[in-house]
Amino acid sequence: MQTLEFEKPILELESKIEELRHMTSSGGVDVADEVSKLQGKVDRLLKTTYAKLTPAQKVQVARHPERPHTLDYVERLFTEFTPLAGDRRFGEDAAMISGLARFRGRACVVLGQERGHDTETRLRHNFGMVKPEGYRKAERLMLMAERFHLPVVTLVDTAGAFPGIQAEERGQSEAIAKCIETCLKVKVPIVAVVIGEGGSGGAIAIAAADRVLMLEHAIYSVISPEGCASILWRSAAQSGEAAAALRLTAQDLKEFKVIDGIVGEPYGGAHRRREETIDLVGDAIESALHELRGLDGAALLARRRQKFLDIGQSLQ
């Protein structure tokens, strides 16, 4: 597992536990009591450490490469997933996962950015940075969802939209704006979950939803802490200070009513208990969809638009 600086004491204890277990299996030495004591110490240290993470530390956890990504959620929570590709204008964008599926028996459309887990998949999915054709694909699927009266579930996990010159040439800003507009006009329920890093317009493009949820240690901001620090202090070295100033944690955003709910992570973070985290997110999505089920299209549309207008007024 990748080592985060503040986790080093925990990882050292876990390494000792593994050594003791290896001794037990290879030499017949019974060290069960010692292992149990060390494991208890690890559990206590995890709980106390993760209960008081700073914003900068939460950024590290949100970006942890072993956190479950969109395809992990799709595989565990959705059945009969049928991927749909292409924006019908330019091509396919593998950074945006999209398709039809069933969520706990109910047909839906699912969308999400995929970052990849290793070098091969990260390159294939462009590190989760979506190009214009990816946002136009998302727009196409949301309109399809409206046509067939299907709810939309989106999973947000991106550092931001792809900033390359090719994306600008193909209308990146217009594609993001149209995707946000589509989120705000389709007359079906939309539930968005920020599962890792929600960066800038690349994130909100698929997060202008009826219910916006965040994992406990996820982040959601208009700019990365490094980008903010580079602008304000001309150095990314102040990224920790920028992270605190941006108020990008789930707890801050819930206070500002930018998001609607926080999904608790198992102690130690989603990267330590992946399946448990995914199941918790599934329960939160199910609850949100149940709350929205009785509303007709016009009511959904009016409430969704007012929700985002209220955010702007409350933060003035």
Side-chain angles (χ1 to χ4, degrees):
M1 182 177 292
Q2 177 176 307
T3 303
L4 302 179
E5 187 65 31
F6 66 87
E7 281 190 325
K8 281 185 176 178
I10 299 167
L11 293 174
E12 287 173 3
L13 285 173
E14 290 179 330
S15 178
K16 289 180 181 178
I17 291 172
E18 286 303 312
E19 289 177 8
L20 288 172
R21 284 176 175 161
H22 180 70
M23 287 172 57
T24 302
S25 61
S26 61
V29 181
D30 187 5
V31 291
D33 288 343
E34 186 64 25
V35 167
S36 179
K37 289 178 183 177
L38 285 175
Q39 188 60 56
K41 190 173 182 180
V42 167
D43 292 342
R44 289 191 297 273
L45 196 53
L46 279 172
K47 288 177 181 177
T48 55
T49 300
Y50 274 80
K52 56 182 181 180
L53 293 180
T54 66
Q57 289 170 337
K58 281 185 178 284
V59 171
Q60 295 178 54
V61 176
R63 292 173 175 172
H64 199 291
E66 294 181 39
R67 281 179 78 87
H69 297 158
T70 292
L71 284 175
D72 300 311
Y73 285 86
V74 170
E75 181 179 354
R76 186 165 177 83
L77 294 180
F78 298 87
T79 57
E80 300 180 39
F81 176 64
T82 303
L84 299 176
D87 65 345
R88 302 298 186 264
R89 299 187 194 182
F90 180 81
E92 164 65 350
D93 184 355
M96 180 69 78
I97 303 301
S98 58
L100 298 168
R102 288 190 180 276
F103 173 71
R104 298 186 176 177
R106 185 181 182 187
C108 68
V109 165
V110 58
L111 303 166
Q113 293 110 345
E114 172 59 37
R115 303 171 79 108
H117 285 291
D118 53 32
T119 302
E120 180 184 352
T121 55
R122 285 169 191 155
L123 290 172
R124 183 191 313 147
H125 297 291
N126 200 33
F127 299 86
M129 296 185 291
V130 181
K131 298 175 183 177
E133 48 271 23
Y135 291 114
R136 294 188 178 112
K137 176 174 65 171
E139 178 188 354
R140 178 171 75 84
L141 263 72
M142 284 189 280
L143 293 173
M144 178 188 293
E146 182 180 44
R147 188 176 311 126
F148 294 105
H149 309 290
L150 302 175
V152 178
V153 176
T154 71
L155 302 167
V156 180
D157 190 14
T158 181
F162 183 62
I165 189 170
Q166 313 98 308
E168 296 300 325
E169 289 172 345
R170 296 199 292 274
Q172 182 70 291
S173 58
E174 185 266 351
I176 292 172
K178 287 287 289 182
C179 201
I180 296 172
E181 180 187 32
T182 302
C183 283
L184 293 173
K185 76 179 185 181
V186 294
K187 296 178 180 179
V188 293
I190 306 177
V191 175
V193 187
V194 183
I195 58 174
E197 183 176 13
S200 193
I204 199 172
I206 59 170
D210 298 292
R211 294 287 185 274
V212 182
L213 310 174
M214 281 182 71
L215 277 173
E216 182 182 357
H217 303 308
I219 59 171
Y220 191 22
S221 66
V222 70
I223 190 173
S224 70
E226 295 82 3
C228 177
S230 296
I231 293 170
L232 295 181
W233 294 285
R234 298 290 189 268
S235 170
Q238 271 80 25
S239 61
E241 187 175 347
L246 283 168
R247 306 296 293 274
L248 44 61
T249 68
Q251 294 72 26
D252 286 331
L253 295 168
K254 181 69 167 62
E255 179 184 342
F256 293 140
K257 299 182 179 178
V258 172
I259 64 171
D260 301 295
I262 299 173
V263 182
E265 296 184 27
Y267 66 86
H271 56 286
R272 290 177 177 274
R273 301 188 181 184
R274 295 158 56 90
E275 293 184 352
E276 187 177 342
T277 301
I278 294 172
D279 290 340
L280 289 170
V281 169
D283 292 341
I285 293 171
E286 184 176 27
S287 177
L289 288 175
H290 180 74
E291 292 174 6
L292 300 168
R293 188 167 296 178
L295 300 174
D296 63 23
L300 282 169
L301 196 61
R303 287 172 53 140
R304 192 184 308 143
R305 288 181 172 178
Q306 191 59 47
K307 164 188 164 70
F308 285 92
L309 288 172
D310 289 344
I311 291 173
Q313 292 171 356
S314 67
L315 295 178
Q316 286 180 354

